[in-house]
Amino acid sequence: MDIPALFGSMVFNDAVMQARLPKDIYKTLKKTISHGTHLDLDVANVVANAMKNWAVEKGATHFTHWFQPMTGITAEKHDSFISPAGDEKIIMEFSGKELIRGEPDASSFPSGGLRATFEARGYTVWDTTSYAFVKDGTLYIPTAFCSYSGEALDKKTPLLRSMEAIDKQALRILRLFGNTGANRVITTVGPEQEYFLIDADMYTTRPDLIYTGRTLFGMPPPKGQELEDHYFGSIKPRVSAFMKDLEEELWKLGVYAKTKHNEVAPAQHELAPIFTTTNIATDHNQLTMELLKSVANRHGLVCLLHEKPFAGVNGSGKHNNWSIGTDTGSNLLEPGDTPRDNAQFLLFLVAVIKAVDEYQDMLRVSVASAGNDHRLGANEAPPAIVSMFLGDELTEILEALESGADYRNKEKTQMQVGVTALPHFPKDSTDRNRTSPFAFTGNKFEFRMLGSAFSIAGPNIVLNTVVAEILREFADSLEKSKDFKKDLAQLIQKTFHEHKRIIFNGNNYAEEWVIEAKKRGLSNLQTTVDALPEYITKKNIDLFTKHNVFSESEIHSRYEILMEGYCKTINIEALAMLDMVKGDIIPACIRYQNELAKLLERKKACGDYDVSLEGRLLGSISKLSADLLKKLDALEEKLSGAKADSDILAHARYFRDNICTAMAELRAVADSLEALVGNTYWPLPSYGEILYSVF
Ligand code: ADP
Ligand code: MG
């Protein structure tokens, strides 16, 4: 396979644009892409026509404005290129107007109250910074989605705004260091994606997987992940064939799929791309999640992206590797070769430290969902407490700077910002801690709290904005400085001193850390319901509005949508449980008990046979069945007590405190029954059968 030729072959990328557009049009378009300048309709018409001709050659018959509503997944509506040409003939047409702007009906997407105050209609606008591509016979145009009054109804618009915010503030800092060459500062992301792969036959017999993406019942299998034999283990042929197919599809679409391996839990795997700009990484991650699912189907497999498909084995997350770089190619989180570069590195480093400390709550909000609650704060990696790992070496350097002490007494000189050269940090000295929610890994930070099903837009909007805010503060103060070197050193020392509580290089799973974190005053927002109210505090509203990332109403809309999403998710899970207990589990228990009772009777009728086995089993199952009924009634009663008209926070609390508890109790009884009822009677494939279904 000629991979270089395959790579990006379905993408209307720079090379295609250059080859297919007249020179002046290409130049104008490039300017629009890099500076966000307005694109004239005449130019758009030429681009649209070239795009259409290219797409038709690639087999496209339709086009779609592809956007990212606040559901977390993408949306698309396909229009064909056909246009009447008289004599009942048609031609294939695509205009600049159609390229630039679309008008999907916005009324059925979540808007979190924005619809009540603003017009229902919305429109999509071409995001020129992300390339169009052809998939399944359709030309996809990445777009942002807004209401008529300009309110963002999607995840892309605020993401682009947050990238602008950090660009603006970071450039101010670079100018202070005498950098006049860089014109833009861009954040980059490489998201590592975890997922489960199971046989499609198992999936179709589990209503819980179909309705909720996770199993709501199931006793632990005899073998889970305790032997640690799956992690990085050899990849089974069927999985390998799937992965190869997936990579090919991703490469065609210009996604830099790079690494694949087995993860910790049985049936769990990971895919990591090479990093790219945050906007494109986000689009590509959405495509990756979609293709994971569709390519799996072609192989008779189902890809589960839920954060916790199976109780008792590891859930799935997404590691958001994040850095900041210039358009001239330098990574601002890479320690440099000269003392001056290092002073700049240290300033960016303490900016991130301060940002994570001051906005721990907002970072926690950005990874909150009903699915992720099963990981964060539930004895699984990472914990709900946000802290940062810097590694011993970097921490020592910052401590030496803070106290003015020697650094490891290696040289008799004191650590001085802008004077002392920093050592290079070999990757393995910074990458040891796998338990940290936010780890420095040599030249980037790895934010590890994201759930596997997340759009990475949300967490990156927050990350970009909180760092932009601290860089703004720094720039405000340093631009006024009369003695830059001295004030810079002081700012680095002071910032580290005030925010070092967020740094923790130890084991984040240890119970002692929870106690220690509390002493340090770090927040520990256990569940989505605890975290989300932080979204609408004055501090956070000020943050987002100041940097024009969200308006106040846009924040409230997102808060509402997330809260509602939480309640709806749990409501669906509860209903699915009731359905399964009544429709599948109870009938199975009855059938099995009936067999046992019949046998008991027959044995007794035939004489004095030993019936201890049948007797005991029947007794245990009868007792558990009665218990099951009680728990079923309890869950139904709690569900009918859920009042959607109460305030949304109270409603969500009700779900967490009442419904989730009743669900857990119902599940416990059902799982005990699974252990007693014969396999051929039990209506659902077991955990063992599902987790080891692919071989
Ligand atoms: P690991 O996390 O297993 O140590 P790597 O460090 O090689 O693996 O990379 C993990 C991810 O980090 C990859 O997706 C990689 O492309 C990404 N990455 C590397 N450098 C950067 C950067 N400057 N900005 C964003 N992501 C990066
Ligand atoms: Mg990693």
mmCIF file with all atom_site columns, all heavy atoms in Angstrom, residues 24-25 43 113 169 237 247 252 261 271 304 321 331 354 388 438 457 475 493 539 557 577 629 642 662 684:
data_model
loop_
_atom_site.group_PDB
_atom_site.id
_atom_site.type_symbol
_atom_site.label_atom_id
_atom_site.label_alt_id
_atom_site.label_comp_id
_atom_site.label_asym_id
_atom_site.label_entity_id
_atom_site.label_seq_id
_atom_site.pdbx_PDB_ins_code
_atom_site.Cartn_x
_atom_site.Cartn_y
_atom_site.Cartn_z
_atom_site.occupancy
_atom_site.B_iso_or_equiv
_atom_site.pdbx_formal_charge
_atom_site.auth_seq_id
_atom_site.auth_comp_id
_atom_site.auth_asym_id
_atom_site.auth_atom_id
_atom_site.pdbx_PDB_model_num
ATOM 1   N N   . ASP A 1 24  ? -4.438  33.785  -7.963 1.00 0.00 ? 24  ASP A N   1
ATOM 2   C CA  . ASP A 1 24  ? -4.911  34.899  -7.122 1.00 0.00 ? 24  ASP A CA  1
ATOM 3   C C   . ASP A 1 24  ? -5.988  34.431  -6.145 1.00 0.00 ? 24  ASP A C   1
ATOM 4   O O   . ASP A 1 24  ? -6.049  34.868  -4.998 1.00 0.00 ? 24  ASP A O   1
ATOM 5   C CB  . ASP A 1 24  ? -5.410  36.065  -7.991 1.00 0.00 ? 24  ASP A CB  1
ATOM 6   C CG  . ASP A 1 24  ? -6.448  35.601  -8.999 1.00 0.00 ? 24  ASP A CG  1
ATOM 7   O OD1 . ASP A 1 24  ? -6.337  34.449  -9.489 1.00 0.00 ? 24  ASP A OD1 1
ATOM 8   O OD2 . ASP A 1 24  ? -7.383  36.376  -9.284 1.00 0.00 ? 24  ASP A OD2 1
ATOM 9   N N   . ILE A 1 25  ? -6.821  33.497  -6.610 1.00 0.00 ? 25  ILE A N   1
ATOM 10  C CA  . ILE A 1 25  ? -7.888  32.963  -5.745 1.00 0.00 ? 25  ILE A CA  1
ATOM 11  C C   . ILE A 1 25  ? -7.250  32.176  -4.599 1.00 0.00 ? 25  ILE A C   1
ATOM 12  O O   . ILE A 1 25  ? -7.633  32.320  -3.427 1.00 0.00 ? 25  ILE A O   1
ATOM 13  C CB  . ILE A 1 25  ? -8.837  32.037  -6.548 1.00 0.00 ? 25  ILE A CB  1
ATOM 14  C CG1 . ILE A 1 25  ? -9.466  32.789  -7.700 1.00 0.00 ? 25  ILE A CG1 1
ATOM 15  C CG2 . ILE A 1 25  ? -9.861  31.381  -5.635 1.00 0.00 ? 25  ILE A CG2 1
ATOM 16  C CD1 . ILE A 1 25  ? -10.658 33.628  -7.379 1.00 0.00 ? 25  ILE A CD1 1
ATOM 17  N N   . VAL A 1 43  ? -14.874 35.104  -5.023 1.00 0.00 ? 43  VAL A N   1
ATOM 18  C CA  . VAL A 1 43  ? -13.810 34.151  -4.716 1.00 0.00 ? 43  VAL A CA  1
ATOM 19  C C   . VAL A 1 43  ? -14.429 32.832  -4.275 1.00 0.00 ? 43  VAL A C   1
ATOM 20  O O   . VAL A 1 43  ? -14.043 31.755  -4.739 1.00 0.00 ? 43  VAL A O   1
ATOM 21  C CB  . VAL A 1 43  ? -12.876 34.717  -3.615 1.00 0.00 ? 43  VAL A CB  1
ATOM 22  C CG1 . VAL A 1 43  ? -11.774 33.723  -3.279 1.00 0.00 ? 43  VAL A CG1 1
ATOM 23  C CG2 . VAL A 1 43  ? -12.296 36.057  -4.037 1.00 0.00 ? 43  VAL A CG2 1
ATOM 24  N N   . GLY A 1 113 ? -31.963 27.088  26.412 1.00 0.00 ? 113 GLY A N   1
ATOM 25  C CA  . GLY A 1 113 ? -32.603 28.361  26.716 1.00 0.00 ? 113 GLY A CA  1
ATOM 26  C C   . GLY A 1 113 ? -32.269 29.443  25.711 1.00 0.00 ? 113 GLY A C   1
ATOM 27  O O   . GLY A 1 113 ? -32.956 30.456  25.634 1.00 0.00 ? 113 GLY A O   1
ATOM 28  N N   . GLN A 1 169 ? -2.930  36.807  23.811 1.00 0.00 ? 169 GLN A N   1
ATOM 29  C CA  . GLN A 1 169 ? -2.191  37.045  25.063 1.00 0.00 ? 169 GLN A CA  1
ATOM 30  C C   . GLN A 1 169 ? -0.771  36.482  24.991 1.00 0.00 ? 169 GLN A C   1
ATOM 31  O O   . GLN A 1 169 ? 0.171   37.104  25.486 1.00 0.00 ? 169 GLN A O   1
ATOM 32  C CB  . GLN A 1 169 ? -2.942  36.440  26.256 1.00 0.00 ? 169 GLN A CB  1
ATOM 33  C CG  . GLN A 1 169 ? -4.372  36.932  26.424 1.00 0.00 ? 169 GLN A CG  1
ATOM 34  C CD  . GLN A 1 169 ? -4.483  38.446  26.525 1.00 0.00 ? 169 GLN A CD  1
ATOM 35  O OE1 . GLN A 1 169 ? -3.534  39.137  26.909 1.00 0.00 ? 169 GLN A OE1 1
ATOM 36  N NE2 . GLN A 1 169 ? -5.643  38.979  26.160 1.00 0.00 ? 169 GLN A NE2 1
ATOM 37  N N   . PRO A 1 237 ? -5.951  -11.350 15.557 1.00 0.00 ? 237 PRO A N   1
ATOM 38  C CA  . PRO A 1 237 ? -6.098  -11.127 14.117 1.00 0.00 ? 237 PRO A CA  1
ATOM 39  C C   . PRO A 1 237 ? -7.350  -10.326 13.730 1.00 0.00 ? 237 PRO A C   1
ATOM 40  O O   . PRO A 1 237 ? -7.293  -9.451  12.889 1.00 0.00 ? 237 PRO A O   1
ATOM 41  C CB  . PRO A 1 237 ? -6.178  -12.543 13.546 1.00 0.00 ? 237 PRO A CB  1
ATOM 42  C CG  . PRO A 1 237 ? -5.543  -13.409 14.570 1.00 0.00 ? 237 PRO A CG  1
ATOM 43  C CD  . PRO A 1 237 ? -5.705  -12.754 15.896 1.00 0.00 ? 237 PRO A CD  1
ATOM 44  N N   . GLU A 1 247 ? -7.267  2.496   10.185 1.00 0.00 ? 247 GLU A N   1
ATOM 45  C CA  . GLU A 1 247 ? -6.147  3.394   9.871  1.00 0.00 ? 247 GLU A CA  1
ATOM 46  C C   . GLU A 1 247 ? -6.216  3.880   8.435  1.00 0.00 ? 247 GLU A C   1
ATOM 47  O O   . GLU A 1 247 ? -6.017  5.058   8.144  1.00 0.00 ? 247 GLU A O   1
ATOM 48  C CB  . GLU A 1 247 ? -4.819  2.662   10.078 1.00 0.00 ? 247 GLU A CB  1
ATOM 49  C CG  . GLU A 1 247 ? -4.360  2.668   11.512 1.00 0.00 ? 247 GLU A CG  1
ATOM 50  C CD  . GLU A 1 247 ? -3.172  1.757   11.745 1.00 0.00 ? 247 GLU A CD  1
ATOM 51  O OE1 . GLU A 1 247 ? -2.992  0.778   10.982 1.00 0.00 ? 247 GLU A OE1 1
ATOM 52  O OE2 . GLU A 1 247 ? -2.423  2.007   12.685 1.00 0.00 ? 247 GLU A OE2 1
ATOM 53  N N   . LYS A 1 252 ? -6.871  8.298   4.773  1.00 0.00 ? 252 LYS A N   1
ATOM 54  C CA  . LYS A 1 252 ? -7.491  8.911   3.595  1.00 0.00 ? 252 LYS A CA  1
ATOM 55  C C   . LYS A 1 252 ? -8.046  10.288  3.939  1.00 0.00 ? 252 LYS A C   1
ATOM 56  O O   . LYS A 1 252 ? -8.046  11.190  3.126  1.00 0.00 ? 252 LYS A O   1
ATOM 57  C CB  . LYS A 1 252 ? -8.655  8.041   3.099  1.00 0.00 ? 252 LYS A CB  1
ATOM 58  C CG  . LYS A 1 252 ? -8.242  6.894   2.206  1.00 0.00 ? 252 LYS A CG  1
ATOM 59  C CD  . LYS A 1 252 ? -9.496  6.353   1.541  1.00 0.00 ? 252 LYS A CD  1
ATOM 60  C CE  . LYS A 1 252 ? -9.509  4.844   1.578  1.00 0.00 ? 252 LYS A CE  1
ATOM 61  N NZ  . LYS A 1 252 ? -10.831 4.262   1.330  1.00 0.00 ? 252 LYS A NZ  1
ATOM 62  N N   . HIS A 1 261 ? -2.626  0.073   20.316 1.00 0.00 ? 261 HIS A N   1
ATOM 63  C CA  . HIS A 1 261 ? -2.221  -1.014  21.205 1.00 0.00 ? 261 HIS A CA  1
ATOM 64  C C   . HIS A 1 261 ? -3.390  -1.491  22.049 1.00 0.00 ? 261 HIS A C   1
ATOM 65  O O   . HIS A 1 261 ? -4.431  -0.832  22.117 1.00 0.00 ? 261 HIS A O   1
ATOM 66  C CB  . HIS A 1 261 ? -1.038  -0.601  22.090 1.00 0.00 ? 261 HIS A CB  1
ATOM 67  C CG  . HIS A 1 261 ? -1.316  0.564   23.005 1.00 0.00 ? 261 HIS A CG  1
ATOM 68  N ND1 . HIS A 1 261 ? -1.975  0.441   24.198 1.00 0.00 ? 261 HIS A ND1 1
ATOM 69  C CD2 . HIS A 1 261 ? -1.016  1.872   22.890 1.00 0.00 ? 261 HIS A CD2 1
ATOM 70  C CE1 . HIS A 1 261 ? -2.055  1.617   24.780 1.00 0.00 ? 261 HIS A CE1 1
ATOM 71  N NE2 . HIS A 1 261 ? -1.488  2.511   24.010 1.00 0.00 ? 261 HIS A NE2 1
ATOM 72  N N   . LEU A 1 271 ? -6.048  4.181   20.471 1.00 0.00 ? 271 LEU A N   1
ATOM 73  C CA  . LEU A 1 271 ? -5.520  4.721   19.225 1.00 0.00 ? 271 LEU A CA  1
ATOM 74  C C   . LEU A 1 271 ? -5.041  6.144   19.500 1.00 0.00 ? 271 LEU A C   1
ATOM 75  O O   . LEU A 1 271 ? -5.766  6.934   20.102 1.00 0.00 ? 271 LEU A O   1
ATOM 76  C CB  . LEU A 1 271 ? -6.631  4.755   18.180 1.00 0.00 ? 271 LEU A CB  1
ATOM 77  C CG  . LEU A 1 271 ? -6.281  5.282   16.787 1.00 0.00 ? 271 LEU A CG  1
ATOM 78  C CD1 . LEU A 1 271 ? -7.027  4.479   15.751 1.00 0.00 ? 271 LEU A CD1 1
ATOM 79  C CD2 . LEU A 1 271 ? -6.616  6.737   16.615 1.00 0.00 ? 271 LEU A CD2 1
ATOM 80  N N   . LEU A 1 304 ? -17.356 0.308   21.667 1.00 0.00 ? 304 LEU A N   1
ATOM 81  C CA  . LEU A 1 304 ? -18.022 0.995   22.775 1.00 0.00 ? 304 LEU A CA  1
ATOM 82  C C   . LEU A 1 304 ? -17.144 2.170   23.205 1.00 0.00 ? 304 LEU A C   1
ATOM 83  O O   . LEU A 1 304 ? -16.000 1.983   23.592 1.00 0.00 ? 304 LEU A O   1
ATOM 84  C CB  . LEU A 1 304 ? -18.219 0.047   23.954 1.00 0.00 ? 304 LEU A CB  1
ATOM 85  C CG  . LEU A 1 304 ? -18.989 -1.248  23.672 1.00 0.00 ? 304 LEU A CG  1
ATOM 86  C CD1 . LEU A 1 304 ? -19.008 -2.130  24.916 1.00 0.00 ? 304 LEU A CD1 1
ATOM 87  C CD2 . LEU A 1 304 ? -20.421 -0.943  23.227 1.00 0.00 ? 304 LEU A CD2 1
ATOM 88  N N   . ASN A 1 321 ? -3.217  15.562  25.151 1.00 0.00 ? 321 ASN A N   1
ATOM 89  C CA  . ASN A 1 321 ? -1.856  16.116  25.162 1.00 0.00 ? 321 ASN A CA  1
ATOM 90  C C   . ASN A 1 321 ? -1.920  17.502  24.547 1.00 0.00 ? 321 ASN A C   1
ATOM 91  O O   . ASN A 1 321 ? -2.335  17.651  23.395 1.00 0.00 ? 321 ASN A O   1
ATOM 92  C CB  . ASN A 1 321 ? -0.918  15.227  24.354 1.00 0.00 ? 321 ASN A CB  1
ATOM 93  C CG  . ASN A 1 321 ? -0.742  13.877  25.019 1.00 0.00 ? 321 ASN A CG  1
ATOM 94  O OD1 . ASN A 1 321 ? 0.096   13.702  25.879 1.00 0.00 ? 321 ASN A OD1 1
ATOM 95  N ND2 . ASN A 1 321 ? -1.570  12.908  24.626 1.00 0.00 ? 321 ASN A ND2 1
ATOM 96  N N   . ASN A 1 331 ? 7.945   25.333  20.096 1.00 0.00 ? 331 ASN A N   1
ATOM 97  C CA  . ASN A 1 331 ? 7.039   24.865  21.146 1.00 0.00 ? 331 ASN A CA  1
ATOM 98  C C   . ASN A 1 331 ? 7.360   25.640  22.428 1.00 0.00 ? 331 ASN A C   1
ATOM 99  O O   . ASN A 1 331 ? 8.459   25.556  22.957 1.00 0.00 ? 331 ASN A O   1
ATOM 100 C CB  . ASN A 1 331 ? 7.261   23.359  21.343 1.00 0.00 ? 331 ASN A CB  1
ATOM 101 C CG  . ASN A 1 331 ? 6.383   22.781  22.433 1.00 0.00 ? 331 ASN A CG  1
ATOM 102 O OD1 . ASN A 1 331 ? 5.751   23.509  23.211 1.00 0.00 ? 331 ASN A OD1 1
ATOM 103 N ND2 . ASN A 1 331 ? 6.339   21.454  22.514 1.00 0.00 ? 331 ASN A ND2 1
ATOM 104 N N   . LYS A 1 354 ? -0.434  28.341  37.462 1.00 0.00 ? 354 LYS A N   1
ATOM 105 C CA  . LYS A 1 354 ? -1.399  29.244  38.088 1.00 0.00 ? 354 LYS A CA  1
ATOM 106 C C   . LYS A 1 354 ? -2.802  29.031  37.503 1.00 0.00 ? 354 LYS A C   1
ATOM 107 O O   . LYS A 1 354 ? -3.794  29.008  38.240 1.00 0.00 ? 354 LYS A O   1
ATOM 108 C CB  . LYS A 1 354 ? -0.958  30.700  37.881 1.00 0.00 ? 354 LYS A CB  1
ATOM 109 C CG  . LYS A 1 354 ? -1.918  31.696  38.479 1.00 0.00 ? 354 LYS A CG  1
ATOM 110 C CD  . LYS A 1 354 ? -1.384  33.114  38.498 1.00 0.00 ? 354 LYS A CD  1
ATOM 111 C CE  . LYS A 1 354 ? -2.438  34.014  39.154 1.00 0.00 ? 354 LYS A CE  1
ATOM 112 N NZ  . LYS A 1 354 ? -2.042  35.404  39.269 1.00 0.00 ? 354 LYS A NZ  1
ATOM 113 N N   . MET A 1 388 ? -1.356  18.755  39.567 1.00 0.00 ? 388 MET A N   1
ATOM 114 C CA  . MET A 1 388 ? -0.399  18.716  38.458 1.00 0.00 ? 388 MET A CA  1
ATOM 115 C C   . MET A 1 388 ? 0.841   17.949  38.823 1.00 0.00 ? 388 MET A C   1
ATOM 116 O O   . MET A 1 388 ? 1.356   18.072  39.932 1.00 0.00 ? 388 MET A O   1
ATOM 117 C CB  . MET A 1 388 ? 0.053   20.135  38.153 1.00 0.00 ? 388 MET A CB  1
ATOM 118 C CG  . MET A 1 388 ? -0.813  20.854  37.199 1.00 0.00 ? 388 MET A CG  1
ATOM 119 S SD  . MET A 1 388 ? -0.290  22.549  37.163 1.00 0.00 ? 388 MET A SD  1
ATOM 120 C CE  . MET A 1 388 ? 0.541   22.588  35.616 1.00 0.00 ? 388 MET A CE  1
ATOM 121 N N   . PHE A 1 438 ? -3.056  15.795  35.461 1.00 0.00 ? 438 PHE A N   1
ATOM 122 C CA  . PHE A 1 438 ? -2.534  16.851  34.593 1.00 0.00 ? 438 PHE A CA  1
ATOM 123 C C   . PHE A 1 438 ? -1.017  16.815  34.693 1.00 0.00 ? 438 PHE A C   1
ATOM 124 O O   . PHE A 1 438 ? -0.426  17.331  35.639 1.00 0.00 ? 438 PHE A O   1
ATOM 125 C CB  . PHE A 1 438 ? -3.074  18.208  35.081 1.00 0.00 ? 438 PHE A CB  1
ATOM 126 C CG  . PHE A 1 438 ? -3.104  19.264  34.019 1.00 0.00 ? 438 PHE A CG  1
ATOM 127 C CD1 . PHE A 1 438 ? -4.281  19.562  33.352 1.00 0.00 ? 438 PHE A CD1 1
ATOM 128 C CD2 . PHE A 1 438 ? -1.956  19.973  33.679 1.00 0.00 ? 438 PHE A CD2 1
ATOM 129 C CE1 . PHE A 1 438 ? -4.310  20.547  32.370 1.00 0.00 ? 438 PHE A CE1 1
ATOM 130 C CE2 . PHE A 1 438 ? -1.986  20.958  32.695 1.00 0.00 ? 438 PHE A CE2 1
ATOM 131 C CZ  . PHE A 1 438 ? -3.172  21.243  32.044 1.00 0.00 ? 438 PHE A CZ  1
ATOM 132 N N   . ALA A 1 457 ? -13.473 19.388  22.424 1.00 0.00 ? 457 ALA A N   1
ATOM 133 C CA  . ALA A 1 457 ? -13.643 20.844  22.333 1.00 0.00 ? 457 ALA A CA  1
ATOM 134 C C   . ALA A 1 457 ? -13.777 21.473  23.718 1.00 0.00 ? 457 ALA A C   1
ATOM 135 O O   . ALA A 1 457 ? -13.040 22.411  24.048 1.00 0.00 ? 457 ALA A O   1
ATOM 136 C CB  . ALA A 1 457 ? -14.853 21.170  21.471 1.00 0.00 ? 457 ALA A CB  1
ATOM 137 N N   . ALA A 1 475 ? 1.176   39.704  31.119 1.00 0.00 ? 475 ALA A N   1
ATOM 138 C CA  . ALA A 1 475 ? 1.529   40.723  30.127 1.00 0.00 ? 475 ALA A CA  1
ATOM 139 C C   . ALA A 1 475 ? 1.187   42.111  30.656 1.00 0.00 ? 475 ALA A C   1
ATOM 140 O O   . ALA A 1 475 ? 1.987   43.045  30.532 1.00 0.00 ? 475 ALA A O   1
ATOM 141 C CB  . ALA A 1 475 ? 0.815   40.444  28.816 1.00 0.00 ? 475 ALA A CB  1
ATOM 142 N N   . GLN A 1 493 ? 8.918   33.557  40.556 1.00 0.00 ? 493 GLN A N   1
ATOM 143 C CA  . GLN A 1 493 ? 9.031   33.084  41.946 1.00 0.00 ? 493 GLN A CA  1
ATOM 144 C C   . GLN A 1 493 ? 7.705   33.200  42.680 1.00 0.00 ? 493 GLN A C   1
ATOM 145 O O   . GLN A 1 493 ? 7.241   32.267  43.322 1.00 0.00 ? 493 GLN A O   1
ATOM 146 C CB  . GLN A 1 493 ? 10.079  33.916  42.703 1.00 0.00 ? 493 GLN A CB  1
ATOM 147 C CG  . GLN A 1 493 ? 11.500  33.527  42.365 1.00 0.00 ? 493 GLN A CG  1
ATOM 148 C CD  . GLN A 1 493 ? 12.499  34.616  42.728 1.00 0.00 ? 493 GLN A CD  1
ATOM 149 O OE1 . GLN A 1 493 ? 12.145  35.669  43.269 1.00 0.00 ? 493 GLN A OE1 1
ATOM 150 N NE2 . GLN A 1 493 ? 13.759  34.356  42.424 1.00 0.00 ? 493 GLN A NE2 1
ATOM 151 N N   . LYS A 1 539 ? -16.871 34.222  39.076 1.00 0.00 ? 539 LYS A N   1
ATOM 152 C CA  . LYS A 1 539 ? -15.473 34.140  38.652 1.00 0.00 ? 539 LYS A CA  1
ATOM 153 C C   . LYS A 1 539 ? -15.360 33.545  37.246 1.00 0.00 ? 539 LYS A C   1
ATOM 154 O O   . LYS A 1 539 ? -14.634 34.071  36.398 1.00 0.00 ? 539 LYS A O   1
ATOM 155 C CB  . LYS A 1 539 ? -14.712 33.243  39.654 1.00 0.00 ? 539 LYS A CB  1
ATOM 156 C CG  . LYS A 1 539 ? -13.232 33.109  39.363 1.00 0.00 ? 539 LYS A CG  1
ATOM 157 C CD  . LYS A 1 539 ? -12.556 32.093  40.280 1.00 0.00 ? 539 LYS A CD  1
ATOM 158 C CE  . LYS A 1 539 ? -12.557 30.727  39.638 1.00 0.00 ? 539 LYS A CE  1
ATOM 159 N NZ  . LYS A 1 539 ? -11.872 29.673  40.371 1.00 0.00 ? 539 LYS A NZ  1
ATOM 160 N N   . SER A 1 557 ? -26.576 28.577  28.914 1.00 0.00 ? 557 SER A N   1
ATOM 161 C CA  . SER A 1 557 ? -27.171 27.558  28.045 1.00 0.00 ? 557 SER A CA  1
ATOM 162 C C   . SER A 1 557 ? -26.398 26.245  28.179 1.00 0.00 ? 557 SER A C   1
ATOM 163 O O   . SER A 1 557 ? -26.992 25.173  28.226 1.00 0.00 ? 557 SER A O   1
ATOM 164 C CB  . SER A 1 557 ? -27.198 28.031  26.593 1.00 0.00 ? 557 SER A CB  1
ATOM 165 O OG  . SER A 1 557 ? -25.908 27.954  26.016 1.00 0.00 ? 557 SER A OG  1
ATOM 166 N N   . MET A 1 577 ? -33.215 -0.338  32.769 1.00 0.00 ? 577 MET A N   1
ATOM 167 C CA  . MET A 1 577 ? -33.118 -1.352  33.825 1.00 0.00 ? 577 MET A CA  1
ATOM 168 C C   . MET A 1 577 ? -34.482 -1.963  34.113 1.00 0.00 ? 577 MET A C   1
ATOM 169 O O   . MET A 1 577 ? -34.636 -3.184  34.198 1.00 0.00 ? 577 MET A O   1
ATOM 170 C CB  . MET A 1 577 ? -32.577 -0.717  35.110 1.00 0.00 ? 577 MET A CB  1
ATOM 171 C CG  . MET A 1 577 ? -31.075 -0.613  35.147 1.00 0.00 ? 577 MET A CG  1
ATOM 172 S SD  . MET A 1 577 ? -30.507 -0.082  36.762 1.00 0.00 ? 577 MET A SD  1
ATOM 173 C CE  . MET A 1 577 ? -29.685 -1.560  37.311 1.00 0.00 ? 577 MET A CE  1
ATOM 174 N N   . LEU A 1 629 ? -38.040 -7.808  43.286 1.00 0.00 ? 629 LEU A N   1
ATOM 175 C CA  . LEU A 1 629 ? -39.307 -7.106  43.121 1.00 0.00 ? 629 LEU A CA  1
ATOM 176 C C   . LEU A 1 629 ? -39.347 -5.849  43.988 1.00 0.00 ? 629 LEU A C   1
ATOM 177 O O   . LEU A 1 629 ? -39.768 -4.783  43.553 1.00 0.00 ? 629 LEU A O   1
ATOM 178 C CB  . LEU A 1 629 ? -40.465 -8.048  43.483 1.00 0.00 ? 629 LEU A CB  1
ATOM 179 C CG  . LEU A 1 629 ? -41.850 -7.469  43.232 1.00 0.00 ? 629 LEU A CG  1
ATOM 180 C CD1 . LEU A 1 629 ? -42.097 -7.281  41.744 1.00 0.00 ? 629 LEU A CD1 1
ATOM 181 C CD2 . LEU A 1 629 ? -42.934 -8.379  43.826 1.00 0.00 ? 629 LEU A CD2 1
ATOM 182 N N   . ALA A 1 642 ? -39.492 11.925  40.416 1.00 0.00 ? 642 ALA A N   1
ATOM 183 C CA  . ALA A 1 642 ? -38.609 12.920  39.786 1.00 0.00 ? 642 ALA A CA  1
ATOM 184 C C   . ALA A 1 642 ? -39.444 14.008  39.139 1.00 0.00 ? 642 ALA A C   1
ATOM 185 O O   . ALA A 1 642 ? -40.239 13.738  38.254 1.00 0.00 ? 642 ALA A O   1
ATOM 186 C CB  . ALA A 1 642 ? -37.724 12.244  38.749 1.00 0.00 ? 642 ALA A CB  1
ATOM 187 N N   . ALA A 1 662 ? -30.937 3.726   43.867 1.00 0.00 ? 662 ALA A N   1
ATOM 188 C CA  . ALA A 1 662 ? -31.930 2.658   43.643 1.00 0.00 ? 662 ALA A CA  1
ATOM 189 C C   . ALA A 1 662 ? -31.481 1.738   42.509 1.00 0.00 ? 662 ALA A C   1
ATOM 190 O O   . ALA A 1 662 ? -31.692 0.519   42.554 1.00 0.00 ? 662 ALA A O   1
ATOM 191 C CB  . ALA A 1 662 ? -33.297 3.276   43.331 1.00 0.00 ? 662 ALA A CB  1
ATOM 192 N N   . LEU A 1 684 ? -29.170 -12.796 29.299 1.00 0.00 ? 684 LEU A N   1
ATOM 193 C CA  . LEU A 1 684 ? -28.144 -11.877 28.797 1.00 0.00 ? 684 LEU A CA  1
ATOM 194 C C   . LEU A 1 684 ? -26.793 -12.575 28.749 1.00 0.00 ? 684 LEU A C   1
ATOM 195 O O   . LEU A 1 684 ? -26.465 -13.336 29.663 1.00 0.00 ? 684 LEU A O   1
ATOM 196 C CB  . LEU A 1 684 ? -28.019 -10.666 29.742 1.00 0.00 ? 684 LEU A CB  1
ATOM 197 C CG  . LEU A 1 684 ? -29.310 -9.931  30.070 1.00 0.00 ? 684 LEU A CG  1
ATOM 198 C CD1 . LEU A 1 684 ? -29.095 -9.001  31.260 1.00 0.00 ? 684 LEU A CD1 1
ATOM 199 C CD2 . LEU A 1 684 ? -29.783 -9.148  28.855 1.00 0.00 ? 684 LEU A CD2 1
#
